Amino acid sequence: SGGGALDLHIHDTDFVHHLLGKPRAVTSVGTKDKSGWSHIFTTYHFDQKIAVTAEGGWNYPAHWGFQMAFQAVFERGAVEYDSGA
């Protein structure tokens, strides 16, 4: 296993890249456990004053279950999706 970063968060990165293309810069911070990065927070910086943040991890309690959510904020509206809702 590659930890939360390679097993889960890589899909967030792929989705952001698919929607917006290659960012000009990427910064990440996170927490580690014995398997590697267990939770990671990433900001993708784009040229048009666009910043995207993504969070992924697997260090939740066993009863937590899988959840995927996103929020997109635009000039005149917002969209929200939450698989747990």
Side-chain angles (χ1 to χ4, degrees), residues 1-78:
S1 169
L6 294 179
D7 286 0
L8 293 174
H9 194 57
I10 194 168
H11 300 292
D12 302 326
T13 299
D14 181 54
F15 187 60
V16 170
H17 189 265
H18 175 76
L19 291 177
L20 299 171
K22 184 178 178 181
R24 69 173 166 76
V26 176
T27 55
S28 295
V29 296
T31 58
K32 282 185 172 182
D33 62 19
K34 63 182 186 256
S35 299
W37 293 101
S38 59
H39 208 97
I40 189 165
F41 305 85
T42 301
T43 302
Y44 309 85
H45 305 272
F46 294 89
D47 289 331
Q48 299 82 12
K49 296 184 181 178
I50 296 171
V52 174
T53 59
E55 172 186 355
W58 61 6
N59 58 345
Y60 293 98
H63 67 277
W64 186 268
F66 178 79
Q67 180 182 9
M68 188 285 259
F70 71 83
Q71 297 175 329
V73 179
F74 305 96
E75 290 178 12
R76 298 176 53 186

